[in-house]
Amino acid sequence: MRSINHNTDAISSVYRQSRGARIFIHFLLIIAGIIYGKATSGEYLNVVDSIARKDLSGASSVLVWMSFILLFHTFLYDRLSLYYSCLVGLLWAFTGDMLAIPFWMATTALLLSLLTQFRFSLTGMFLPWIIGLFAYVDFFSFAPYTVFYAAFVIVVIGAVIHLRKIEKQSHIPVTAPMDTVKPMPLRTRASVKTESLQANTSHQIWMDDKPVRKSKPYIPARAFDQEIAQLENKSALTDFPPELRHEIAEIALSARRIQTCMQEDPKDVAPATRFFQRYMPAVNTFIDKDLNLRRQQASDVKTGERTLQTLKDIRSMFDQQHQRLLENDQLELDTEMGVLDNLMKTDGFK
């Protein structure tokens, strides 16, 4: 059975991750069904009385709406079947009717998905198809379209054969041609030298007469550690009043938190680096200048209040940057949970 194609384009991702987007898209499907149904059913409505016209007008909207639901589901999970359904819709257009094109496209897509990509949850799509079928028989009889039915069967059989062939090819391992495979040179020596001087023994493996020592992966020094340490040292200076020391210490603590995010998540390195490069030199310079004024006893009460307010603003800025990095991690977690949840729903586990 062909595997389910969970597409990852922008529309599919937004649809799976946002309940509001799902509601909005289905609302658009209703509107599109009403507009398309009324636009293509005029020739049927003009030959009946007013009572029948009202019933047929509603049936045309339902017919197209249910078909659009099935086509959108196929768009999300089985694009190959959707492509073949477009061919059937083109064949139906040769009959001179536009109203039933979505219905026959939806029928083809559903049938191909059942034959080549069956899963239990797909049976739920029978409900909109049956509702659409009841609306279809209000307009059409099945007798006059023998040529189309024959073409429909040929397209479905050909599509099934092609989709099964794609499935088989996807399971065939790709191997390199024999003439492109070069023989591996024989190793002259493969011995293992072990030194058991301590409980933690170091191993040195000799291969091709060249020693390769196994060691722990290199862990780089923490970024901007010196600049953050300067802030921490300044928070302990008695030249500053207690409220300023407290704010400087909180700024240094937020900087450490941002530094931790850089170490734990590679995706946080770039935004955190830009933030530190932009603000850290300015923050240290600002605090140094205030310290010089205080040591010269040139700082008055008004300047001290402005300095305190500026440090509070800086602290808030560092906290916000740390929160942004955490929100990125939360967004990635929510995305992965949404993908897993939809996979389980699609495969019938929920």
Side-chain angles (χ1 to χ4, degrees):
M1 193 63 63
R2 187 164 54 92
S3 59
I4 298 173
N5 177 21
H6 295 283
N7 294 285
T8 56
D9 55 69
I11 297 178
S12 301
S13 300
V14 171
Y15 180 83
R16 295 190 187 94
Q17 296 167 14
S18 172
R19 179 176 298 178
R22 291 195 291 270
I23 295 173
F24 178 71
I25 289 176
H26 280 286
F27 175 75
L28 290 182
L29 292 178
I30 295 174
I31 300 301
I34 294 174
I35 294 174
Y36 186 93
K38 290 186 178 300
T40 56
S41 60
E43 61 178 300
Y44 301 100
L45 301 181
N46 293 333
V47 296
V48 295
D49 56 36
S50 58
I51 298 177
R53 184 181 298 113
K54 184 177 181 180
D55 293 337
L56 286 179
S57 178
S60 65
S61 299
V62 171
L63 171 62
V64 180
W65 176 30
M66 295 296 107
S67 301
F68 281 173
I69 290 176
L70 289 169
L71 289 173
F72 184 71
H73 182 272
T74 311
F75 170 81
L76 292 176
Y77 298 108
D78 192 0
R79 298 278 171 87
L80 291 177
S81 296
L82 180 64
Y83 300 152
Y84 277 108
S85 73
C86 293
L87 178 58
V88 173
L90 181 64
L91 292 174
W92 178 263
F94 284 110
T95 65
D97 174 77
M98 301 296 291
L99 176 61
I101 287 179
F103 175 78
W104 281 107
M105 288 178 61
T107 301
T108 305
L110 178 62
L111 183 59
L112 289 178
S113 293
L114 288 170
L115 292 175
T116 65
Q117 201 186 58
F118 180 80
R119 66 272 189 194
F120 181 76
S121 60
L122 192 60
T123 56
M125 291 293 103
F126 274 117
L127 179 60
W129 183 81
I130 291 174
I131 295 174
L133 179 63
F134 279 113
Y136 177 87
V137 297
D138 287 340
F139 292 91
F140 305 95
S141 63
F142 290 96
Y145 305 104
T146 307
V147 176
F148 169 76
Y149 297 147
F152 171 79
V153 171
I154 292 173
V155 170
V156 170
I157 293 175
V160 171
I161 294 174
H162 181 239
L163 293 175
R164 293 283 174 82
K165 184 178 180 180
I166 292 176
E167 177 192 3
K168 291 180 180 179
Q169 289 177 347
S170 64
H171 287 84
I172 297 175
V174 180
T175 57
M178 291 301 294
D179 56 352
T180 63
V181 179
K182 297 180 180 180
M184 295 295 293
L186 296 176
R187 295 186 178 95
T188 57
R189 180 172 59 181
S191 60
V192 177
K193 183 180 179 181
T194 305
E195 300 174 0
S196 53
L197 298 178
Q198 299 176 351
N200 258 340
T201 354
S202 62
H203 298 280
Q204 190 170 8
I205 301 178
W206 295 83
M207 299 180 66
D208 298 327
D209 291 331
K210 295 182 180 180
V212 179
R213 183 174 296 278
K214 292 184 177 181
S215 60
K216 294 182 179 179
Y218 171 69
I219 300 177
R222 294 184 296 179
F224 301 95
D225 197 59
Q226 183 177 355
E227 292 85 349
I228 300 174
Q230 290 177 10
L231 286 176
E232 292 171 337
N233 293 334
K234 291 168 187 174
S235 67
L237 295 176
T238 56
D239 300 85
F240 294 113
E243 59 271 17
L244 292 187
R245 292 203 302 269
H246 173 73
E247 292 300 328
I248 297 173
E250 290 297 324
I251 294 171
L253 183 60
S254 291
R256 287 296 183 195
R257 295 193 185 106
I258 295 173
Q259 187 185 53
T260 301
C261 290
M262 296 174 67
Q263 289 183 299
E264 294 179 351
D265 188 354
K267 295 180 181 178
D268 291 340
V269 172
T273 299
R274 289 194 298 268
F275 178 81
F276 277 148
Q277 288 176 342
R278 182 176 180 84
Y279 292 106
M280 189 65 76
V283 171
N284 273 310
T285 301
F286 165 71
I287 297 175
D288 288 339
K289 288 185 177 181
D290 182 76
L291 178 61
N292 290 334
L293 285 176
R294 291 182 182 279
R295 287 176 174 174
Q296 297 170 14
Q297 297 182 352
S299 178
D300 54 18
V301 175
K302 187 176 180 180
T303 303
E305 291 176 352
R306 291 177 57 192
T307 300
L308 178 60
Q309 184 58 49
T310 302
L311 289 175
K312 288 182 178 180
D313 294 339
I314 294 172
R315 172 188 174 185
S316 174
M317 176 182 64
F318 273 70
D319 290 341
Q320 290 178 45
Q321 177 63 23
H322 176 239
Q323 190 61 35
R324 287 179 184 177
L325 299 179
L326 294 181
E327 287 173 356
N328 291 338
D329 296 338
Q330 182 65 42
L331 180 61
E332 292 178 1
L333 178 61
D334 292 342
T335 300
E336 294 301 326
M337 287 192 297
V339 171
L340 286 173
D341 185 62
N342 281 286
L343 287 173
M344 291 186 288
K345 287 181 180 178
T346 303
D347 295 337
F349 294 110
K350 291 188 69 175

